Structures are given as C-alpha cells and as structure tokens.
Amino acid sequence: MQMLGQILEILIVVGCAYWLMAAWLVSRYGGARTVPLVTTYPSVTILKPLYGAEPNLAANLTSFIQQDYPAPIQVIFGVQSQFDKALPIVRSVMDAFPNRDLTLVVNSQRHGENPKISNLINMMPQARSDIILIADSDIGVDAAYVSRVVAELDRPNVGAVTCAYYGAGYGALWSRLMALAIDSHFLPNVVVGLALKLATPCFGATIALKRETLEMLGGFQAFTDVLADDYAIGEAVRRLGRQVIIPAFLVGHTCSHASFVELVAHEIRWAKTIANVDRAGFLGTGITHVIPLSLTALAIGGATERAALLVAASLLCRYLLLWSVARRFNLTGIAYWLLPVRDCLSFCVYLASFLPFEVRWKGDRFLVKMDGTMARRPESE
C-alpha cells in the first residue's frame, strides 16, 4: 500500500504540472495567429445530419442559416426516419426562412453501420456547391462562422477545416456536467495537443472541405463502418499530403443529456472512441485526473498533512485551469462548484472505458473492433 501511495503521489505531481502548463498554453492560445482575409466567396453547402428533438435545436439550426456571407449558402437537413422527432422543428425553421436555400432529406437507406455517415451519404446527391461543410446538429455558431471557415480553407495546401468547441449546458444537472467535461478536460487537452504539435484532430463540430477533396477520399462511403468518422476523415485528408486547420475561434456544443444513464453512455462512447484513435495517449491521460487520484491517495495513506496538500494542490490547479479557459474564450455560466464531482465522474468513465468494447449510439448497440470499425449487435444478445 505504501508503494501504491508513492506511485499515486508521483502521478498527482505530474498531473498538476500538466494542468499548470495547460493553463498557460490556454492563456496564449491563438494570440499570434493571423486571421486570413476572404478574397473569394464561393457558394457553400452545409450538411446538417439530425436525430431527435434536441434542446436548442431550432436556435442552433437557425444560426447556420443567418450567416453574414455574400455568396449563396445551401443548407441541407437530413433525417433517416419519417417519424424522427426533429422533423417538426426542422420544418418550422424552414417555414421561418422561405427565401433561403433550404432542403430536407428523409431517407432511411443504410450504408454500413455508422448512422451519421449513412445520413450524409443520403444527403449528398442534393448538394450543389464545391465547398461542403458538415456540422453536428448540436452545434451553434455566430454570423461570421462561414466566412472564417472559408477563409481558412482558402489557405495553401489546406485540405480540411475543423473547429474546437466549448460546452453549453441546458436544463438538467447532467447537461451542465457534460458541458463542464468539455470546458475543463476536452478543450484544454486540445490546446495542449496543438501547441506541442502532438496532434491535429478533426471534430464533428465542423468539417469543411472541397468537393474534389472529398471525392479523392472516396466520398463518405469510405467511412461507413468507422466509429470515429470525424477523426478518420482528418487522417484521410492528411494522407493526401494536405493540412487540417483548426482556427482559433470556437463553436458552441449544446449539451442536452436528460439523465445520468444517458450522460454516462455518451461519455463512455466518447472515451472509447478516443482510446481507439490513440491508445497510448488515452492511457497517458490517466495522470490528468488529479482530484480523484489525490482523494484516493488520501484514503490509502490517511489524513496526513502531505495527503491534504496534494488534495489542495489538485483543486487549485484544476480551478486555475478552468478559470483560464473561461477567461480566454469569454465563457460564462460555468458551474465551478461542480468541478470536483465532474472530475471524479470523468475518472470513473475513464476506468469504465477499459471494459468490454461495446457502445450505444442512437438507440443501437455496436461492438467496436480493434481496427475502429463497428458491427451492430442484435438486441437479443
């Protein structure tokens, strides 16, 4: 037990040092980056794959329609069932903008196991523009979003543009916990990865690429059975010898989890996806759970002054980081008081992600294979 306690102490110290570095990098994020000017304004097709009546869905969809962009924007909404609860919301949004180029595709045809990719394949025949922009249904943006994304895509040798995001919790406690996970873990980890050139991920919050690039990848058909489709698209773009760019601005990710079970199922799927993409890196993130690690050390070694100092240091580092994130990205309404609970839950999800590799997604169960592809599991199993 003494050796275990010493190992935990080392992990806690390293984890605290990591979060202090992350807080510093967050404070400097995007400061020296030049913002490209838009020289041309090509038409853009925005693909919005939908599933269910999420909170704030109407406002999020509307934000993509009300863009300050001088060229034509086509927005295509896609669902896979005529009974999808998103349909009334989509139709009301379309009715509110009768003069905009809005298209609704209802198509139940499946292409492989990934439901989002199937939706995108069904929507693509309606796309008319040479620039294709995909954004998840729970994303909200400002009016300059399309202009900034197009400007980034116009940089030399850029194959795709993606966007990092912050969490916007709505309603229940579970939604606020999810938003806090994004702001206190996901976002600073992305900043560290970019600053140290450890990774250039691709996020479903935004993937913009030219039609010719998408065709060179084999279209969306190349990703029909992949769980981490956004990551796979980014990797495929890089294999073409082109860059994936992440601008310094963020988009908003609406968190709308209505129950603890829904929250945990989503987070385990998310964790398993990350683990499948980078197993070594995911294993290394164990050191970032400094609050639960320090509490574990306290429980093992007793309430010593040293253990108490480690708990205090862990809390201080985590709160400093969260404050730095809020300050740099002008985030408001963050539930600071939930941070210790959030971190302990994140540690439990981290441990649970090492259990048998099955995920639940949009009402179905999938077995995730070692190569990252999915196989649907019958409900009778």
Side-chain angles (χ1 to χ4, degrees), residues 139-153:
I139 299 301
V141 297
D142 63 25
Y145 165 77
V146 169
S147 293
R148 289 186 288 188
V149 169
V150 168
E152 296 284 355
L153 192 60

Side-chain angles (χ1 to χ4, degrees), residues 131-312:
I131 291 183
I132 307 298
L133 193 159
I134 311 109
D136 288 343
S137 59
D138 50 14
I139 299 301
V141 297
D142 63 25
Y145 165 77
V146 169
S147 293
R148 289 186 288 188
V149 169
V150 168
E152 296 284 355
L153 192 60
D154 196 44
R155 289 177 181 266
N157 199 40
V158 171
V161 177
T162 190
C163 291
Y165 50 89
Y166 65 90
Y170 286 86
L173 170 66
W174 318 117
S175 298
R176 300 177 71 183
L177 282 170
M178 184 65 202
L180 194 56
I182 294 171
D183 297 338
S184 67
H185 274 274
F186 163 79
L187 187 51
N189 280 332
V190 169
V191 171
V192 170
L194 294 176
L196 301 183
K197 302 186 185 303
L198 298 175
T200 308
C202 200
F203 306 115
T206 292
I207 301 177
L209 66 174
K210 296 177 181 178
R211 183 186 290 267
E212 64 171 345
T213 302
L214 181 59
E215 291 173 351
M216 291 174 68
L217 301 181
F220 292 121
Q221 287 83 353
F223 311 98
T224 52
D225 293 324
V226 180
L227 174 62
D229 51 84
D230 45 6
Y231 172 84
I233 291 172
E235 282 295 289
V237 169
R238 281 186 283 269
R239 284 197 296 270
L240 293 177
R242 301 180 184 179
Q243 294 180 320
V244 175
I245 293 293
I246 302 180
F249 70 90
L250 304 180
V251 297
H253 178 283
T254 300
C255 302
S256 57
H257 302 81
S259 69
F260 176 76
V261 172
E262 183 182 349
L263 171 68
V264 171
H266 183 174
E267 292 196 358
I268 290 178
R269 176 171 64 85
W270 191 6
K272 286 181 180 292
T273 302
I274 297 171
N276 187 260
V277 166
D278 182 7
R279 296 183 188 280
F282 180 75
L283 183 63
T285 62
I287 66 166
T288 66
H289 299 283
V290 291
I291 292 179
L293 289 177
S294 64
L295 292 175
T296 302
L298 180 66
I300 291 175
T304 64
E305 181 178 346
R306 187 170 175 173
L309 283 174
L310 286 174
V311 172

Side-chain angles (χ1 to χ4, degrees), residues 12 25 39 69 75 80 82 133 166 199 211 274 315 333-334:
I12 294 163
L25 291 174
T39 56
Y69 188 74
V75 183
Q80 294 180 281
Q82 60 179 328
L133 193 159
Y166 65 90
R211 183 186 290 267
I274 297 171
L315 288 166
I334 293 179

